[in-house]
Amino acid sequence: MTAAVRPSRLDPEIAARLKRDSHGLMAAIAQQYDTGEVLMLGWMDDEALHRTLTTGRCTYWSRSRQEYWVKGETSGHLQFVKSVALDCDADAILVKVDQVGAACHTGNRTCFDADLLPAVTGERPGLAVGSAQAAGG
């Protein structure tokens, strides 16, 4: 059974708003609720979102195993849901969580701290001291 046709108990009003990929999935970003730390990216279909909204625990769809998994169910590295939001296009989900232990399957706290890429960084232009804008004008 493909992801696009798996049965779901998601509220039809929420389901009608979602934009899914060709496999019926949406990117789901997990973020630590109190620090803003980006923890991981997983995938959710309608049923995974329903389970996340109704259980207080993050449920994802495993693309490799083709099954649902509750974060931390086997590892003990649990994610407790604090809030769930859709992005402005309704094609990505932000789940703010209280992460217990590592979020990454490698054992790292986040999935985004092990392989930093070299990048030119930018700086926001500052206001010159004494300028009209700096003086409130």
Side-chain angles (χ1 to χ4, degrees):
M1 182 179 292
T2 65
V5 296
R6 270 188 306 280
S8 172
R9 296 168 288 164
L10 184 63
D11 180 324
E13 289 183 20
I14 296 172
R17 297 169 53 196
L18 304 177
K19 294 180 186 164
R20 303 157 194 84
D21 71 9
S22 62
H23 302 286
L25 300 173
M26 295 159 291
I29 301 159
Q31 179 181 37
Q32 179 64 33
Y33 82 101
D34 54 354
T35 66
E37 181 180 31
V38 177
L39 300 169
M40 61 173 277
L41 170 71
W43 297 93
M44 290 186 182
D45 67 357
D46 290 20
E47 181 61 18
L49 179 56
H50 166 75
R51 293 178 189 189
T52 298
L53 291 171
T54 59
T55 65
R57 299 273 308 282
C58 286
T59 299
Y60 299 97
W61 175 255
S62 171
R63 296 179 300 168
S64 59
R65 295 188 314 266
Q66 295 289 296
E67 65 184 17
Y68 295 104
W69 58 281
V70 178
K71 180 66 178 168
E73 199 167 60
T74 58
S75 68
H77 299 161
L78 308 171
Q79 290 179 341
F80 295 99
V81 175
K82 296 298 181 182
S83 68
V84 180
L86 293 175
D87 78 337
C88 59
D89 295 320
D91 63 358
I93 302 162
L94 176 63
V95 186
K96 292 189 178 183
V97 301
D98 189 7
Q99 177 71 45
V100 175
C104 188
H105 70 280
T106 64
N108 289 332
R109 169 75 181 160
T110 88
C111 294
F112 297 102
D113 62 0
D115 194 12
L116 295 177
L117 302 175
V120 174
T121 60
E123 296 294 328
R124 182 188 294 213
L127 297 175
V129 176
S131 72
Q133 287 181 331

